[in-house]
């Protein structure tokens, strides 16, 4: 039986996943990190939890936070980020610019790539940097 909480795909299998596919899983990984950060840090309660999570996972905020980690990325991570930023997305929410949405997609692709590659500590470390105030 596969343990999907501890999945680690081989690099060639991860390379075969589209940037949109990586962003799809990365969106969930990022949201789980945000929700865990909010709950563990006592940052919000009740209705405030949902509002706080939405404020952190929206494309403009993701794009802003992504800028904090760009200088820390390895060459391979930069390649994944660039590939995600260049993904062909077909619809952009009205509250985000194309550039913000592309950067958010790139961030999600990076988190998806890290998760599928079993690099949870690296994802956590980068998330920590993003959330530093």
């Amino acid at each position: 039986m596969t343990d999907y909480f501890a999945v680690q795909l081989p690099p060639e299998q991860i390379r075969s996943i589209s940037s949109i596919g990586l962003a799809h899983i990365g969106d969930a990984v990022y949201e789980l990190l945000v929700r865990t950060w909010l709950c563990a840090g006592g940052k919000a309660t009740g209705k405030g939890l949902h509002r706080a999570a939405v404020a952190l996972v929206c494309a403009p905020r993701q794009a802003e936070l992504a800028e904090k980690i760009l200088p820390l990325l390895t060459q391979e991570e930069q390649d994944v980020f660039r590939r995600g930023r260049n993904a062909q997305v077909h619809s952009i929410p009205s509250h985000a610019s194309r550039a913000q949405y592309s950067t958010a997609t790139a961030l999600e692709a990076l988190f998806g790539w890290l998760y599928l590659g079993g690099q949870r500590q690296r994802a956590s470390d980068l998330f920590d940097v993003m959330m530093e105030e």
Side-chain angles (χ1 to χ4, degrees):
M1 186 153 91
T2 302
D3 179 359
Y4 289 103
F5 282 110
V7 70
Q8 184 168 351
L9 301 179
E12 60 275 2
Q13 188 173 358
I14 297 172
R15 276 192 297 276
S16 72
I17 299 171
S18 71
S19 294
I20 298 299
L22 291 176
H24 178 71
I25 188 74
D27 175 58
V29 171
Y30 182 76
E31 176 128 4
L32 182 59
L33 288 167
V34 165
R35 287 177 179 221
T36 302
W37 181 78
L38 289 169
C39 288
K43 302 286 183 186
T45 57
K47 284 188 223 174
L49 276 172
H50 177 71
R51 273 180 270 199
V54 168
L56 289 168
V57 300
C58 68
R61 184 71 171 137
Q62 281 184 336
E64 179 185 328
L65 293 172
E67 296 298 324
K68 295 170 93 173
I69 63 167
L70 291 179
L72 306 174
L73 299 183
T74 66
Q75 185 60 52
E76 192 172 20
E77 291 166 346
Q78 288 175 27
D79 292 344
V80 171
F81 191 91
R82 185 171 29 262
R83 187 176 144 209
R85 189 176 51 223
N86 293 335
Q88 297 299 316
V89 286
H90 299 291
S91 62
I92 297 169
S94 60
H95 65 276
S97 69
R98 178 172 289 284
Q100 288 170 326
Y101 197 71
S102 293
T103 301
T105 301
L107 180 68
E108 291 170 351
L110 175 62
F111 275 99
W113 179 80
L114 290 168
Y115 171 78
L116 291 174
Q119 299 184 62
R120 282 164 210 59
Q121 188 59 54
R122 178 63 173 159
S124 184
D125 291 346
L126 290 173
F127 183 78
D128 278 343
V129 170
M130 291 170 59
M131 302 314 288
E132 287 174 356
E133 294 182 24

